[in-house]
Amino acid sequence: AGIMSDDSTDDNWKLGGLIYYNKADSAVFAQKRIGAGVTINLATAAGKLIVLALMVLIILPLILLI
């Protein structure tokens, strides 16, 4: 499947289309269902790593300010 997926199956989109989770799709990114842009496939290891890294980059500075 590569880096980018073009899946628009409703079963793979969670929380009203905000989250893409498809274990059968090895692509890390998927085209958004509505509008322009991409979203992360949270079923892949790389997708989980990207989200974890983003969370650390957001939360760690807040913790260091305390």
Side-chain angles (χ1 to χ4, degrees):
I3 293 176
M4 189 70 67
S5 176
D6 205 14
D7 185 4
S8 62
T9 308
D10 283 341
D11 294 342
N12 299 322
W13 291 89
K14 311 299 180 202
L15 290 176
L18 296 176
I19 295 175
Y20 182 69
Y21 190 91
N22 184 356
K23 289 182 180 181
D25 187 357
S26 63
V28 179
F29 298 102
Q31 292 288 335
K32 287 192 177 256
R33 293 175 67 195
I34 300 171
V38 296
T39 191
I40 299 169
N41 182 2
L42 293 177
T44 63
K48 290 173 185 166
L49 185 63
I50 291 169
V51 170
L52 179 64
L54 289 172
M55 289 173 61
V56 167
L57 287 172
I58 292 170
I59 295 172
L60 186 61
L62 295 175
I63 292 172
L64 293 175
L65 286 175
I66 297 174

